[in-house]
Amino acid sequence: MPSIEENVYKWNEDYSWQSGGEPWSAPWGSSSAQWYGCIYPRIQRFLPAPTILEIAPGFGRWTEFLLSHCDTLIGVDVAPKCVEACTERFAGHPGASFFTNDGHNLPMVADSSVDFAFSFDSLVHVEVETLAGYLRELARVLTPDGAGFLHHSNYGTYRRSANALAPLQGAFDHLPTVARAGLLRTGAYRGAHWRASSVTAAGFVDLCEAAGLRCVGQELVNWEGGLLLIDAMSVVTRPGSRWDRPNRVVKNRLFRTEARAIRRSAAVYDAPSAPST
Ligand SMILES: C[S@@+](CC[C@H](N)C(=O)[O-])C[C@H]1O[C@@H](n2cnc3c(N)ncnc32)[C@H](O)[C@@H]1O
């Protein structure tokens, strides 16, 4: 868990997509503040990129920003509802196209055609076999100097506690939003945010090797409500590319503290309609 089928159900049927996922950016203040304060600084050296592949764009929270850094953007999501939403939202961008896929293959993407592959706040919900599928496909579709930035789970590092918490997580997920927020706020329940429990940052490196890719950087971070480094952002590339080097791993337990700092200053500079903190 979570399986591809559960992801399709959750994102195509269950989740309301009110505000297109914007509430997930609340810890940073807004999606704009999160992009410019958190995501863009981590990926700026790969941009601009002629062709960007975005895996799992949802309703386009990051697509909006990625589009100004490429000529062509291909968005691939397992939920048809998300593909429809992005197709409509970005209809004015002739270089943007969106496709539904089976959750781990990229048949709509040509060999050696992608300069930069991006995924944030999505692949944390996919298990190891799904990641392995995408990495095999990236080995096929990346250009010789292409690179990828993939945000994925590291929850498997805490597998024993993950297994113990699994029944609790199921009950937690069915609580009303207000109750869930209350439990997280009080610290009574830390929550795993539906992270995949089979994935670890170290295992991800092995998956890259098996797929014929190199993992050259990993930042292990905490997420809302805890100090555990349940997530990782990994940079992948082809062996011998201009980005190739031995892997560098950094543990960042200040990720959520950074978010709070970004939110505080963004309140000064954000659009008039953005909430102040
Ligand atoms: C939490 S939403 C995040 C969407 C977007 N990345 C954002 O941050 O706003 C998760 C997205 O991942 C997609 N997804 C989940 N598993 C997937 C898979 N195996 N392949 C492609 N998309 C997937 C869902 O359909 C959904 O659009």
Side-chain angles (χ1 to χ4, degrees):
M1 103 94 212
S3 66
I4 290 178
E5 292 71 28
E6 284 169 317
N7 267 286
V8 175
Y9 176 74
K10 186 173 179 100
W11 307 114
N12 207 51
E13 315 286 337
D14 189 37
Y15 186 66
S16 73
W17 287 104
Q18 216 174 11
S19 313
E22 182 67 22
W24 298 321
S25 289
W28 289 265
S30 66
S31 54
S32 168
Q34 186 177 2
W35 172 262
Y36 288 109
C38 167
I39 300 175
Y40 182 71
R42 288 172 163 85
I43 62 172
Q44 47 82 23
R45 69 188 172 127
F46 305 113
L47 301 176
T51 297
I52 292 181
L53 166 70
E54 185 179 7
I55 301 176
F59 270 41
R61 187 164 51 134
W62 312 123
T63 318
E64 182 188 341
F65 300 101
L66 289 168
L67 276 169
S68 52
H69 297 283
C70 62
D71 303 320
T72 302
L73 183 141
I74 304 165
V76 179
D77 200 291
V78 80
K81 186 193 266 189
C82 296
V83 172
E84 282 160 29
C86 283
T87 303
E88 193 179 324
R89 179 173 173 182
F90 302 111
H93 291 268
S97 51
F98 299 91
F99 302 88
T100 306
N101 78 337
D102 64 359
H104 53 113
N105 285 301
L106 300 167
M108 64 294 289
V109 187
D111 294 359
S112 305
S113 64
V114 171
D115 301 287
F116 182 56
F118 172 93
S119 188
F120 192 83
D121 211 355
S122 289
L123 296 181
V124 289
H125 307 306
V126 310
E127 299 288 354
V128 77
E129 303 78 16
T130 305
L131 270 183
Y134 277 132
L135 289 169
R136 278 193 296 272
E137 284 289 72
L138 287 183
R140 176 179 68 79
V141 303
L142 283 180
T143 57
D145 268 335
F149 170 86
L150 304 178
H151 174 204
H152 59 86
S153 176
N154 182 41
Y155 192 44
T157 301
Y158 310 99
R159 188 187 282 270
R160 196 176 287 171
S161 48
N163 288 342
L165 278 175
L168 193 58
Q169 181 70 41
F172 178 83
D173 286 344
H174 286 95
L175 288 173
T177 309
V178 178
R180 281 204 310 254
L183 280 173
L184 284 171
R185 216 177 11 252
T186 60
Y189 179 64
R190 295 254 170 238
H193 306 281
W194 218 45
R195 268 35 186 173
S197 61
S198 63
V199 181
T200 65
F204 182 91
V205 177
D206 295 338
L207 294 181
C208 287
E209 294 292 332
L213 289 174
R214 287 268 160 73
C215 182
V216 295
Q218 294 188 295
E219 184 179 2
L220 281 46
V221 299
N222 56 338
W223 206 253
E224 195 179 347
L227 286 176
L228 298 185
L229 301 170
I230 63 173
D231 285 9
M233 290 170 279
S234 294
V235 178
V236 303
T237 190
R238 281 184 183 280
S241 86
R242 60 191 282 237
W243 309 109
D244 192 7
R245 65 168 188 213
N247 194 19
R248 290 183 192 160
V249 183
V250 167
K251 293 183 178 179
N252 180 5
R253 288 184 204 281
L254 295 177
F255 192 63
R256 300 305 283 196
T257 309
E258 286 171 19
R260 280 198 293 279
I262 290 167
R263 187 180 67 212
R264 280 175 66 85
S265 41
V268 176
Y269 306 106
D270 230 335
S273 57
S276 59
T277 53

